Amino acid sequence: MAGGTAIHQEKDSLRYSQDIDLFHESDEAVTKSFKKDKKILLENGYRVKELITEPSFYRALVQKGKDSLKLEWVRDTAFRFFPVLEDPELGFRLHPIDLAVNKCLTLANRTEVRDLLDILVLHEKTTPRASRKSQKRNSKISAFRRSSSARLAFQ
């Protein structure tokens, strides 16, 4: 698991991800995972509308009743600075430093406010504790986090 879902998995997060990103290390793994997941979803009564189908990227809208969710299966680099972390809610997710590297690369290729917010949240999560304590007095994101309207602005 990577992207906004992994960055904002806490219940009091500033925003909720618009999709779930499932990263894999090769085109073959992306295709295999997509086909297997699609089969399981269909067998369990979900509708799967394929939006993009490329060897290294699949996007689908998964629906059941009135609920829907966008899922993306993506090829990503096999290189990581830190090992993938086991997570009780997400299964496996990228380490916060690797999430930050990916988000910086994303910011280099698109200009979305949500990506800037993600970088600020990752900075807060990954800055060493001693440094955070001295920064907390002046932390604009802490004030922003307390604002209930801020949560609505980034959904």
Side-chain angles (χ1 to χ4, degrees):
M1 188 73 61
T5 303
I7 295 168
H8 297 282
Q9 79 181 88
E10 293 86 12
K11 290 181 183 7
D12 66 340
S13 178
L14 286 174
R15 77 173 188 92
Y16 297 104
S17 184
Q18 298 173 348
D19 59 16
I20 294 179
D21 301 315
L22 305 167
F23 283 23
H24 301 278
E25 296 179 353
S26 69
D27 289 354
E28 296 79 23
V30 170
T31 300
K32 183 179 177 182
S33 178
F34 169 74
K35 288 180 179 179
K36 183 179 177 183
D37 292 346
K38 180 181 175 185
K39 181 178 186 259
I40 291 169
L41 288 164
L42 291 171
E43 288 171 352
N44 285 280
Y46 291 86
R47 291 187 313 264
V48 179
K49 181 179 179 183
E50 295 179 24
L51 304 174
I52 297 175
T53 56
E54 298 290 332
S56 62
F57 183 81
Y58 288 79
R59 177 181 292 153
L61 185 64
V62 178
Q63 299 172 300
K64 191 169 193 179
K66 294 181 180 182
D67 296 323
S68 66
L69 175 67
K70 185 171 59 170
L71 292 177
E72 294 180 345
W73 294 258
V74 183
R75 179 180 45 94
D76 191 40
T77 179
F79 177 80
R80 297 280 173 233
F81 290 101
F82 294 92
V84 173
L85 302 174
E86 196 164 349
D87 185 283
E89 291 180 9
L90 302 177
F92 291 91
R93 67 174 179 81
L94 293 183
H95 186 280
I97 298 295
D98 288 316
L99 287 170
V101 169
N102 281 6
K103 191 52 73 167
C104 286
L105 294 170
T106 299
L107 272 170
N109 291 304
R110 72 178 184 205
T111 54
E112 295 284 343
V113 174
R114 69 177 184 259
D115 295 324
L116 181 58
L117 176 68
D118 291 350
I119 284 292
L120 293 172
V121 168
L122 284 164
H123 171 72
E124 190 173 80
K125 285 182 177 182
T126 59
T127 303
R129 241 183 238 291
S131 176
R132 267 196 308 225
K133 284 181 182 178
S134 65
Q135 292 175 354
K136 200 151 195 153
R137 279 181 235 116
N138 300 322
S139 175
K140 299 210 185 306
I141 193 160
S142 293
F144 191 73
R145 180 179 292 280
R146 289 189 298 267
S147 165
S148 60
S149 61
R151 283 196 186 94
L152 298 174
F154 292 102
Q155 288 185 9

